[in-house]
Each structure stands twice: as structure tokens, then as C-alpha cells.
Amino acid sequence: MKNKFILSAIGFLFFFACKQEKKEVVVEKKPNIILFFVDDMGWQDTSVPFWNKRTPFNDLYKTPNMERLAKEGMKFTQAYATAVCSPTRVSLMTGMNAARHRVTNWTLKKDALQPMETNHKELQFPEWNVNGLSPVKGIDKAVYATPLPQLLQEAGYYTIHSGKAHFGAIGTPGANPINLGFDVNIAGHAAGAPESYLGTENFGNGKNGKEVWAVPGLEKYHGKDIFLTEALTQEALLSVDNAVKAEQPFFLYMAHYAIHTPLYGDDRYVQKYLDIGLDPKEAKYASMIEGMDKSLGDIMNYLDDNKLSDNTILLFMSDNGGLSVHGRGGKPNTHNKPLNSGKGSVYEGGIREPMLVKWPEKVQPNSVTDEKVIIEDFYPTILEIAGVESPKTVQTVDGISFVSVLNNKKAIVKNRPLFWHYPNEWGPSGPGIGASSAVRFGDYKLVYYHLDSRMELFNIKEDIGEVTNLVESNTDKVKELAKILSDHLRKVDAQMPSLKKTGIKVALPDAIVP
Amino acid sequence: MKNKFILSAIGFLFFFACKQEKKEVVVEKKPNIILFFVDDMGWQDTSVPFWNKRTPFNDLYKTPNMERLAKEGMKFTQAYATAVCSPTRVSLMTGMNAARHRVTNWTLKKDALQPMETNHKELQFPEWNVNGLSPVKGIDKAVYATPLPQLLQEAGYYTIHSGKAHFGAIGTPGANPINLGFDVNIAGHAAGAPESYLGTENFGNGKNGKEVWAVPGLEKYHGKDIFLTEALTQEALLSVDNAVKAEQPFFLYMAHYAIHTPLYGDDRYVQKYLDIGLDPKEAKYASMIEGMDKSLGDIMNYLDDNKLSDNTILLFMSDNGGLSVHGRGGKPNTHNKPLNSGKGSVYEGGIREPMLVKWPEKVQPNSVTDEKVIIEDFYPTILEIAGVESPKTVQTVDGISFVSVLNNKKAIVKNRPLFWHYPNEWGPSGPGIGASSAVRFGDYKLVYYHLDSRMELFNIKEDIGEVTNLVESNTDKVKELAKILSDHLRKVDAQMPSLKKTGIKVALPDAIVP
């Protein structure tokens, strides 16, 4: 009897121990997370149709690996970012809406407003956070926040940064990805573009006076015939290899410099676009897209080859709309058709992004969602995927996790408005470009221009090109959206510009439409 | 017994009468035939892939109705014409190889050699048939032959010509399609291109000094906003309507002026090509292709709507390779890639054509053949389809009917050589352009240049771009093909140019490689 009890007890303990051990293994096996983040890639810069029909751009551009990812994952047809890079990247790393974090324009030099802001004839711009994101307190003109990679690092992830950082101004802590919680930094610094995409040009290193744009840290590829996109991919996978060998889950932030200007022809792809008679600048652009897509394919192949695909979530996103003004070939403001305008604009061409998510066993392959998401949603989503419950952040997070969309295709929150706030001057001019705020609510979008308090209302569902301004014909909707937008701006204490002539701050839209 | 016999006899007669009547109906119901013939359309100027893989051009150009035709019919991957228009059109209408009919260059003015021929520095060109095809005897410098439409007309067909004729020089009988056996002539005359594609420009009528190129006979569309391709299609279908009402089988020769220069943007299609950044000339070119394809779709829809599809054979063909020199955008000689060169060249880019044939109940839908055919084969083929047995022709027919290919996918003739002969000067220069003869035999092609008796041998199957000249490495094959080519040229009494310096006629290739 005694023996029997002891045996049972041992058996029970053994069973319990096994269970414990098993449980621990499960806990330890966190999924790997890759965020494949492209720069300046427009909603139409792909052969994957994100609209309800294929477009000439879908036929022009070749992104077979995005097609493959779309087949294996979920396509988001209404994913948004901000109109330019820094606000998007700071929202991504903090979960904050741009109106709240105040890094509302692009950053580079410490404490320095861009000349197009200081020289503006009519608007006096607010003291926005020109120094970008800071992971430490006390940096002037920077938003202090707990960065995403820091939380992932604390949760046991090996965190890899490859490519463009552009989080903080030169000489501030935020300029270095390592300070944001990345274990590895490949080629990231304060600048938002590379001086050169060519290894044969040392990625711009050594050019007198151009060092601010020269890509750092890729010396082993200097003088070699390699495109920056390829070098970043190879280096990123070497770092992933280290994590895999150490049996540590990894977070790879594969943040390509491509397809931002300067446009360079990727020799592997450019000739066929020249052959069909494409404008040489556009041929270069198309070749850079294809090189970016090849990187995606290399990463997917790496995951397959190393049997990591089943336990890796792969998210694809861009940081703003496709460039459609200076630097591009062809007619300006047409490069994101059917969307109006492009980068820098509050119109869909400036903010709507190609987004794909693969999550084996969770996301239904080849699925499509029209759920609206915005860049700050990536922060809570990635933390939820990583199993980081109730993360401690110094900032208020505006983003909402879209894990429920991924798992069940359920709406995040019913009737959720999305907000844009850009009380700044980008530089180039074009449709929808200029200081403005906007809200998307249901099918409608209200745009509010700071310069002249003008408003535009569009039914995005019926008029994706934002051609028909409904502001006169649907005053109830204008009122409703002006209120929602103004409430948000008040809540987050958004900055507004002033009119130089009067010195008076621009009113919120609900003061215009009471 | 007697009554029984009578009844039986009556019964037999009745049965016989019925059979006879039925038989007569069958005989009367000849199939309608449509030859959809495009001008200057290259092998790659379509979204239908005629190579073993899709190319950037297949993705660029939009020909959904050709895709539909390919699905409903047979695709010929190795269909040939000559390098320029008149030789092809005369071969088509006579069944003769160009070396035999001697209309080896393009025609326009009576008795007049083109200036680029008279002014050539080194070659004295032969007295070729500059007046083109003549349906009557005794016209100087013209080939006298029994034209295809004349035989079809005699066989009971209502024969409709719509578009570009370009059979005979101005002022000769061959200039007017009616003289070749067409019941109706819509817009055809001696010229090989339109002065304008626009109804708003009266298709070039009224322009001083340009009347030779002005499109005749479409006055009802003058001043209207209509593209020539559309007007020709509408007029053609009105004529078909007449045949259908009269219950007469019809032969429609739908010979578009498109996509020959001058390049005009078809407003219905051009904008999207401009939007993707295509060279403006190339955008116009692409729009003309799409307008041509729309015409094909309209005709197919007409057949369906009028329940004529089941009894109509539809053949699609072009007259030479795509233009790849003056007038096109982008880099010269690349517009037919993977093929080398373009219109005017003896290389594949100049002579290989997109060809499709739909023949309900006879041709297997969505089928593909690699059988080699050449333009003069259309003559006996169409006659066979029309049930014209042993047609009486004044000329020797070189073409061989490909009905057996259509019905059973059987080879026409085993080991059949195809011949090209162009002892002339086209004008523009480029790869493979210049006085030459050539033979395709099996996988090989031998090119013989008259100016310097130079030869080139290519394995077309392995080297479709004709990059690797095997003349040094495969002398046996050179010898074999030089003999076959020379035998043909001797047999048809082909004309050869002379060298101006010596006055000596250029030797046949087997005299060079004995």
C-alpha cells in the first residue's frame, strides 16, 4: 500500500514535471517576427492588386514574392501610414498617433527646422519634435517613449535592425537603433535616404560633403558590384542565423532604403523596363521594386530552408505613399492611380499602403480584409504576437492591435476613426500636399487645410480617387467628422500652425463648421 | 405486287429527293471566312505569349480579345511573313513566294523606284515589280496573277475589303481592291499607310500635298471623334450584315491600317500607358494595339450575337515584324525582344508573326502548334476552307495549305524549307536589314547578304535572338542550306542585284560555299 502510494506519488511528480517541462518549452517557443518595411512604396507599386481590380501598375511592376506572400497570408486593402517617413516610423516604434508624438515632419539635423518650414510665406509652424524619437528622458524637441524593440528585447527577442532607421536627429540618442533596443544595427542612422545604392560607389561613403547621406556600416561590400537592397538582405540573414543558432526568437526589422530616391537602376532588372520603352527614371524605379521583392523572396526562402516558416510571422508594410513629384518620370501626381497624388499628400495616394501579413495556422491563406488599420496599430499588434502582455510604456499608445483581424477577420473596434495630422510643410507642391489634418470615418474622409481652413469631404468607398468634394452637398457628414477630428486633436493636444499675417493660431475644424 | 413495287419506287424516290435536298443545303452552307490582318504588328505586340514564356511585352500590351481567340482556337508559334508589307500582301493574294512574284519591296507610285534604291552607293537593284499585283495581263512591272478574292467571289462568296490594300501602284488596276475580286472596298487604295488615324482630321483628306496618303471613302466619319480602326470595323460589319441578310457566305478581309505609323494615341486607351511612364510614342503604339484588339472583339461579338460563330473561320495574322527603327520610342532594334531587330530585317524580329486560327468543330480550342507556316500558305488554305477545289490560277502557287495542321495538327510537309528573298533596299538600317535571301530549314536559318556575300547561320530553336552565328562552326549545315536556298532561287528565277563597281550580278550562295 505504502509502496503503491510512493509509486503513485513519484508517478504524479514525474507527470507534473513533464507537464511543467512541456509548458516551459511552449512558453520559450515564441514566434519569430519579421517586419518587412519598404520606404516610399506606393499602394500600386506591386503586381499584387490591392484595389478591387487590376491596374496598369499591377501589370507593370513585378513582385512575385509579394504575390506568394499574399497567397500564404492576408491582404489588407485599407492599410494606412502617414504621408512622410519620420512620422510613420515614430508611430511604428511608439504606437502613438502623429498628432500626439509631434514628430510630424521628417527629421535629420538636431534642433534644425527644414528651410521650407522657416521660409514659408504665410504659415508659422509649431515647435514640433524635430529631433524625433528618444528612448531617454530630457532630450529637447523629441518624443520620449518606450520603443517597440526595447520591449521585444526585454521579452527575450534577439532584435535586428537592417536598413533605414531615421528615428532621431543626428547627435541625439534616437539616431542609433541600438539605443532603441536593437541588438544589432545594420546600416541604420539618422538619414532617411542613401547617398548611393551601389556597392561600387561605397554606398556614398567618401563623397565630399555627402557623408550625412552615406550608408554606414557596410564596408565589406564597398567596391563590390552589389545593390544596397541585396547587401542589407544578406547581412540581415547572417544576423538571423545567429539568433537561430542561439535558439533565440528573433525580431527582424527589415527596413529597406529602397525604393526611396535617389533612383538607381538595379542592373539585375532594369533592362527589360527600358526595353518596353519606359521612361528611364521609371525603369529604375521598377527595377528597385523588383530588387526589393527579391529580398522578400530570399527571406521567405531562408525561412523555408531553415524550417522556420511555421513559427515566423511576416508582416509587409510601407511607410508612406509612392513619390509622385520631383525625381519621378512621367506626369506628376499620377504615379499612384487610381489614388490621387502621392507621398506628402493627405490624399489616399500619400497614405494608403500595400500591407500583407502571413501567420501560419492563424491567418487564413489567400485571405483579404477591408478592415482599416493605421501604422501605430503595428506596435500593440507585434507586442501581442510576441506575448508581451500589458507592456509598460512611458507613452500613451493610440494604436489598437489587429490580431483579432488576423485570427478571425473580426473588426478591431466598430466605428473607429483614423487620424492624420501634419501641421508642417513638406516642400514640393501637389494635390493634397500642405499643412492639414484629416479623419477617416466609415466610408468618408474629411480633410482640413490649415492655410485657408478649407475642407474637403470624400466618400472613399465610392470615389477612391478623391475627385468629388462633397463638402457642400453633405454638410451633416462634414459637421460630424469635423467634430470627431477636432475632439481627437484636442485630446492629444495637437500642435497647430499660426498665420504669419495675424499671429493667430489656426482654429480646429469644428470652430469653422460649428 | 405491282402496287407494292410502285409504292416502293415512290418511297425510294421520295427518300432520294429528301437526301438530295439535304445534300444541297449542306453544299450551300459554305463557311464564312474572316482574315483579320494587322499591319506592322510584331510577334511580341500582344498579351498572348507566342514564345515559350511570357515576356515584358506580353505584360505591357493588352489584347484580351486575342487571348479569347487563342483560347477558342489554335496558336501558331512559328508563323512567318516577309519583312515589309507589299511582298507579304502580294504573297497572300497570289500564293506565290516573293522570290517568284518579284514584288520584293514596297510599292506606291507607278514605274517609280524608291529613291533609297536608285541612290544606293554599291548595289544596282533589279527591275522588280514596282507596280505590284495585277489581276489583268499586260501591265508592265507587275505580277499577273489570279487573286484570292476573285476565286472566292467566283465560288459564291460575298467578298469584303476593309482597310489597307497596298496591292498595286497608283494608276494600275491592282490599286483598286474591286479589280481583285472584292465586292466591296472600304478605304483601300495604293498607299500603305494613312495620313491620319483621326476622324477629326478627316483621316488626312484635305491636307495639301498629302492626298496620296489620305484614307479614301470614309466621308461619313469625317469631322467625327472616331479612330480609323473603329470606323473600319463598323463599316466592315455593315457590309457583313448585307451578306448575312442575303444569306450569302462572306469573306471579310479586315486589313487594319493599324498599327503602322504615323503613331496616334487612341484616346480610349492611351492615358493608362502614359500614366505608367511609357515613352509617349510607345504609349501611342500600345493604344493602337489595344484599339486593334477591340476591333477583333467587336467582330467576335458580332459573330456571337448573330449566331454566326459556329460557321465562321477566323484567322489572325500580321504582315511583317514590328517596327523597331525610326518613329518608335526607346532604344532601336529592341522592340521585338527576344527576337532580334524588326520590320525590314531578315531576322526573326522582321518576319515572325502572331498568328491565330479559330475554326469551330475543326480546330481544337486552346491548342498550340509549332508547325512552320508562311504567308503564301494562306492562299491555298483559304481556298480549301472555302471548298474551292483545284482552283484555276494563272500563276504557280508556292504556298501549301495548312488545313491539315488545323484539323489534325499534322505537319504540312515533312522537311519543308521556307524562303525569303529581298534583293532591295528598305531605307532604314539595323541588324539584318539590307538586301538578302534566307532559308529556314528545320531548326536552322541561313541568311545570305547580297552586298558582301556574307552568310550567317543560326539555330533558331536554341537561339531565337539570333546572337550566335554558327557559320564557322557548322560548315556542313551552311553548305546544305546554301544549296537548298540557291536551288529555290534558281527554280523561281529570282532576281539578284548587281554590284555597281563591277556591274557583276551577285552570285547565289552555293557559288560562295561550293
Side-chain angles (χ1 to χ4, degrees):
Chain A
M1 199 48 191
K2 214 178 179 179
N3 278 357
K4 209 176 174 187
F5 173 73
I6 288 167
L7 279 171
S8 287
I10 290 169
F12 176 78
L13 284 168
F14 190 71
F15 174 70
F16 184 76
C18 284
K19 246 193 129 182
Q20 276 294 90
E21 197 177 287
K22 218 175 178 181
K23 202 177 173 189
E24 273 167 29
V25 169
V26 168
V27 168
E28 267 174 17
K29 213 175 178 189
K30 280 183 183 264
N32 306 304
I33 303 168
I34 299 175
L35 175 54
F36 193 98
F37 204 62
V38 191
D39 198 17
D40 279 11
M41 181 185 177
W43 194 58
Q44 290 296 309
D45 293 341
T46 165
S47 50
V48 174
F50 280 86
W51 196 26
N52 53 22
K53 58 181 169 186
R54 289 190 72 81
T55 67
F57 290 122
N58 296 151
D59 290 342
L60 174 66
Y61 298 122
K62 303 293 169 234
T63 58
N65 295 295
M66 284 183 70
E67 290 175 38
R68 177 178 158 199
L69 183 57
K71 264 188 205 134
E72 296 176 11
M74 183 181 279
K75 176 164 79 176
F76 284 71
T77 65
Q78 299 197 87
Y80 289 102
T82 77
V84 296
C85 38
S86 300
T88 282
R89 285 160 199 264
V90 173
S91 288
L92 171 65
M93 289 295 159
T94 65
M96 302 162 84
N97 181 253
R100 189 190 296 275
H101 65 54
R102 296 185 170 184
V103 188
T104 43
N105 208 355
W106 60 279
T107 61
L108 183 63
K109 292 180 184 164
K110 196 177 175 189
D111 299 333
L113 270 182
Q114 309 296 339
M116 70 281 174
E117 294 223 298
T118 46
N119 299 338
H120 200 278
K121 279 182 183 168
E122 295 167 88
L123 289 177
Q124 177 66 46
F125 295 104
E127 290 274 309
W128 60 279
N129 280 327
V130 293
N131 291 331
L133 165 63
S134 176
V136 292
K137 242 184 174 168
I139 305 296
D140 197 31
K141 294 179 192 162
V143 59
Y144 168 48
T146 309
L148 178 67
Q150 183 182 310
L151 292 169
L152 293 169
Q153 197 177 45
E154 287 167 6
Y157 275 84
Y158 188 71
T159 50
I160 305 160
H161 179 282
S162 183
K164 167 170 164 175
H166 203 204
F167 302 122
I170 297 169
T172 68
N176 186 350
I178 297 296
N179 295 334
L180 304 188
F182 281 108
D183 291 311
V184 177
N185 171 33
I186 302 160
H189 62 152
E195 174 61 25
S196 166
Y197 277 95
L198 304 184
T200 51
E201 294 182 358
N202 303 340
F203 307 117
N205 288 279
K207 278 201 189 176
N208 273 338
K210 300 284 189 179
E211 289 301 325
V212 71
W213 302 104
V215 180
L218 292 174
E219 289 75 11
K220 80 187 233 199
Y221 298 99
H222 286 191
K224 297 208 172 135
D225 184 14
I226 192 166
F227 210 77
L228 177 55
T229 308
E230 181 72 27
L232 292 175
T233 310
Q234 291 184 17
E235 284 302 295
L237 291 178
L238 287 176
S239 281
V240 169
D241 246 354
N242 291 337
V244 173
K245 275 175 201 152
E247 295 188 1
Q248 194 178 352
F250 63 85
F251 169 63
L252 168 61
Y253 177 55
M254 183 69 247
H256 278 293
Y257 279 97
I259 53 177
H260 197 294
T261 51
L263 301 185
Y264 275 76
D266 188 325
D267 282 346
R268 299 170 295 179
Y269 309 107
V270 73
Q271 190 57 47
K272 66 183 171 201
Y273 296 104
L274 291 168
D275 282 346
I276 63 166
L278 211 61
D279 175 288
K281 283 180 188 164
E282 294 306 288
K284 287 177 183 173
Y285 191 80
S287 78
M288 286 167 75
I289 290 177
E290 200 162 343
M292 170 282 292
D293 183 78
K294 194 257 184 187
S295 164
L296 177 65
D298 288 347
I299 290 171
M300 292 175 79
N301 290 342
Y302 174 91
L303 296 176
D304 285 350
D305 294 346
N306 291 279
K307 299 190 171 47
L308 296 165
S309 293
D310 287 350
N311 196 37
T312 302
I313 290 107
L314 180 48
L315 304 102
F316 184 103
M317 184 65 173
S318 173
D319 70 339
N320 49 244
L323 185 70
S324 196
V325 282
H326 56 64
R328 291 292 299 269
K331 201 177 155 199
N333 311 311
T334 62
H335 300 86
N336 298 288
K337 265 195 173 185
L339 307 186
N340 196 345
S341 205
K343 180 180 181 179
S345 173
V346 69
Y347 289 146
E348 299 290 295
I351 56 176
R352 200 185 265 231
E353 309 304 331
M355 176 178 164
L356 302 165
V357 182
K358 179 187 174 187
W359 189 356
E361 311 266 307
K362 301 279 182 139
V363 160
Q364 196 189 325
N366 208 22
S367 57
V368 180
T369 179
D370 296 329
E371 184 70 20
K372 294 182 278 292
V373 295
I374 189 164
I375 188 67
E376 52 261 32
D377 296 340
F378 279 72
Y379 185 95
T381 303
I382 290 174
L383 289 174
E384 186 176 346
I385 290 170
V388 180
E389 283 165 32
S390 319
K392 281 182 194 156
T393 64
V394 296
Q395 74 274 29
T396 301
V397 170
D398 295 296
I400 300 177
S401 167
F402 51 81
V403 164
S404 63
V405 179
L406 296 174
N407 291 352
N408 315 304
K409 298 177 104 181
K410 265 190 231 155
I412 300 177
V413 180
K414 270 207 169 179
N415 294 325
R416 176 200 185 199
L418 301 180
F419 301 105
W420 293 266
H421 185 58
Y422 192 12
N424 306 80
E425 173 70 13
W426 179 43
S429 57
I433 298 179
S436 66
S437 306
V439 58
R440 170 79 195 264
F441 187 61
D443 295 340
Y444 289 87
K445 181 161 125 191
L446 182 79
V447 175
Y448 177 62
Y449 296 99
H450 300 167
L451 184 65
D452 52 6
S453 295
R454 196 164 39 94
M455 280 181 233
E456 289 174 337
L457 179 74
F458 301 105
N459 184 325
I460 300 298
K461 193 175 181 181
E462 289 174 8
D463 176 26
I464 203 170
E466 288 163 291
V467 173
T468 309
N469 182 2
L470 306 170
V471 83
E472 302 283 341
S473 59
N474 196 342
T475 49
D476 284 354
K477 190 55 80 178
V478 171
K479 220 182 218 172
E480 180 191 359
L481 267 63
K483 177 79 168 60
I484 293 172
L485 176 55
S486 302
D487 284 348
H488 171 74
L489 297 176
R490 270 188 291 270
K491 191 182 87 181
V492 303
D493 194 17
Q495 296 174 306
M496 293 298 281
S498 308
L499 294 173
K500 277 185 173 168
K501 209 161 63 178
T502 61
I504 297 171
K505 204 187 269 184
V506 172
L508 294 184
D510 63 351
I512 311 295
V513 184
Chain B
M1 204 40 193
K2 212 179 180 180
N3 277 356
K4 210 176 173 184
F5 172 77
I6 289 167
L7 279 171
S8 288
I10 289 170
F12 176 78
L13 284 168
F14 190 72
F15 174 71
F16 183 76
C18 284
K19 246 195 128 178
Q20 275 295 89
E21 197 178 287
K22 219 175 177 181
K23 200 175 172 190
E24 273 168 29
V25 169
V26 170
V27 169
E28 268 175 15
K29 212 174 178 189
K30 280 184 183 263
N32 307 303
I33 303 168
I34 299 176
L35 175 54
F36 193 98
F37 204 62
V38 190
D39 198 18
D40 279 9
M41 182 184 176
W43 195 58
Q44 290 296 310
D45 293 343
T46 165
S47 50
V48 174
F50 280 87
W51 196 25
N52 53 21
K53 57 181 171 186
R54 288 190 73 82
T55 67
F57 290 122
N58 296 151
D59 289 343
L60 175 66
Y61 297 122
K62 303 293 168 233
T63 58
N65 294 295
M66 284 183 70
E67 290 174 36
R68 177 178 158 197
L69 184 58
K71 264 188 205 134
E72 296 176 12
M74 182 180 280
K75 177 163 79 175
F76 285 71
T77 65
Q78 300 197 87
Y80 288 103
T82 76
V84 295
C85 37
S86 299
T88 283
R89 284 160 200 265
V90 173
S91 288
L92 171 64
M93 289 295 159
T94 66
M96 302 162 83
N97 181 253
R100 189 190 297 274
H101 66 55
R102 297 185 170 185
V103 188
T104 43
N105 208 355
W106 60 279
T107 61
L108 183 64
K109 291 181 182 165
K110 195 176 175 190
D111 298 334
L113 271 182
Q114 309 296 339
M116 70 279 173
E117 294 225 297
T118 46
N119 298 338
H120 198 279
K121 279 182 184 168
E122 294 169 86
L123 288 177
Q124 177 67 46
F125 295 103
E127 289 273 308
W128 61 278
N129 280 327
V130 293
N131 291 331
L133 164 63
S134 177
V136 292
K137 241 183 173 168
I139 304 296
D140 196 32
K141 293 180 193 161
V143 59
Y144 169 47
T146 310
L148 177 66
Q150 184 182 310
L151 293 169
L152 293 170
Q153 197 177 46
E154 287 167 6
Y157 276 83
Y158 187 70
T159 50
I160 305 159
H161 179 281
S162 183
K164 167 169 164 175
H166 203 203
F167 303 122
I170 296 169
T172 69
N176 185 352
I178 298 294
N179 296 333
L180 303 189
F182 281 109
D183 291 312
V184 177
N185 171 32
I186 301 160
H189 62 152
E195 174 60 25
S196 166
Y197 277 96
L198 304 183
T200 51
E201 294 182 358
N202 304 337
F203 307 117
N205 288 278
K207 278 201 189 176
N208 274 339
K210 301 284 189 177
E211 289 302 324
V212 71
W213 302 105
V215 180
L218 292 174
E219 287 76 11
K220 79 188 233 199
Y221 299 98
H222 286 192
K224 297 208 170 133
D225 183 15
I226 192 167
F227 210 77
L228 178 55
T229 309
E230 181 71 27
L232 292 174
T233 310
Q234 290 184 18
E235 284 301 295
L237 290 178
L238 288 175
S239 281
V240 169
D241 246 354
N242 291 337
V244 173
K245 276 174 199 153
E247 296 188 1
Q248 195 177 351
F250 64 85
F251 169 62
L252 168 62
Y253 178 55
M254 183 70 248
H256 278 294
Y257 280 96
I259 52 178
H260 196 294
T261 51
L263 301 185
Y264 275 76
D266 187 326
D267 282 344
R268 299 170 295 179
Y269 309 107
V270 73
Q271 190 56 48
K272 66 183 171 202
Y273 296 104
L274 291 168
D275 283 347
I276 63 166
L278 212 61
D279 174 289
K281 283 180 188 163
E282 293 306 287
K284 287 177 183 173
Y285 190 80
S287 79
M288 287 167 74
I289 289 176
E290 201 162 342
M292 170 282 291
D293 183 77
K294 194 258 183 186
S295 164
L296 176 65
D298 287 348
I299 290 170
M300 293 175 79
N301 291 342
Y302 174 91
L303 296 176
D304 285 349
D305 293 347
N306 291 278
K307 297 188 171 48
L308 296 165
S309 292
D310 287 350
N311 196 38
T312 303
I313 290 106
L314 179 49
L315 305 101
F316 184 104
M317 184 64 173
S318 173
D319 69 339
N320 47 246
L323 186 69
S324 196
V325 282
H326 58 63
R328 291 293 299 270
K331 202 176 155 200
N333 311 312
T334 62
H335 300 85
N336 298 288
K337 267 194 171 183
L339 308 185
N340 196 344
S341 204
K343 180 178 181 179
S345 172
V346 70
Y347 289 146
E348 297 289 295
I351 57 175
R352 200 185 265 230
E353 308 304 331
M355 177 178 164
L356 302 166
V357 182
K358 178 187 174 187
W359 189 355
E361 313 265 307
K362 302 278 181 139
V363 161
Q364 197 189 325
N366 209 21
S367 57
V368 180
T369 179
D370 296 329
E371 184 69 21
K372 293 181 279 292
V373 296
I374 189 164
I375 188 66
E376 52 260 33
D377 296 339
F378 279 72
Y379 185 95
T381 303
I382 290 173
L383 289 174
E384 186 176 347
I385 290 170
V388 181
E389 283 164 33
S390 320
K392 281 182 193 157
T393 64
V394 297
Q395 74 275 27
T396 302
V397 170
D398 295 296
I400 300 176
S401 168
F402 51 80
V403 164
S404 63
V405 179
L406 296 173
N407 291 352
N408 315 303
K409 298 176 103 180
K410 264 189 234 159
I412 299 177
V413 180
K414 271 206 169 181
N415 294 326
R416 177 201 184 198
L418 301 181
F419 301 104
W420 293 267
H421 185 58
Y422 192 13
N424 306 81
E425 172 70 13
W426 179 43
S429 56
I433 297 179
S436 66
S437 305
V439 58
R440 169 80 196 263
F441 188 61
D443 295 340
Y444 289 88
K445 181 162 123 190
L446 182 80
V447 175
Y448 177 62
Y449 294 100
H450 299 167
L451 183 65
D452 52 7
S453 294
R454 194 163 40 93
M455 280 181 232
E456 289 174 338
L457 179 74
F458 301 104
N459 183 325
I460 299 298
K461 194 175 181 182
E462 289 174 10
D463 175 27
I464 203 170
E466 289 163 290
V467 173
T468 309
N469 182 2
L470 306 169
V471 84
E472 302 283 343
S473 59
N474 197 341
T475 49
D476 284 354
K477 190 54 77 176
V478 171
K479 217 181 219 174
E480 180 191 0
L481 267 61
K483 175 79 165 61
I484 294 172
L485 176 56
S486 302
D487 283 348
H488 171 72
L489 296 175
R490 271 188 291 270
K491 190 183 88 181
V492 303
D493 194 17
Q495 296 175 307
M496 293 297 280
S498 308
L499 294 172
K500 278 184 171 170
K501 208 162 62 177
T502 61
I504 297 172
K505 205 187 270 185
V506 171
L508 294 184
D510 62 352
I512 310 296
V513 183

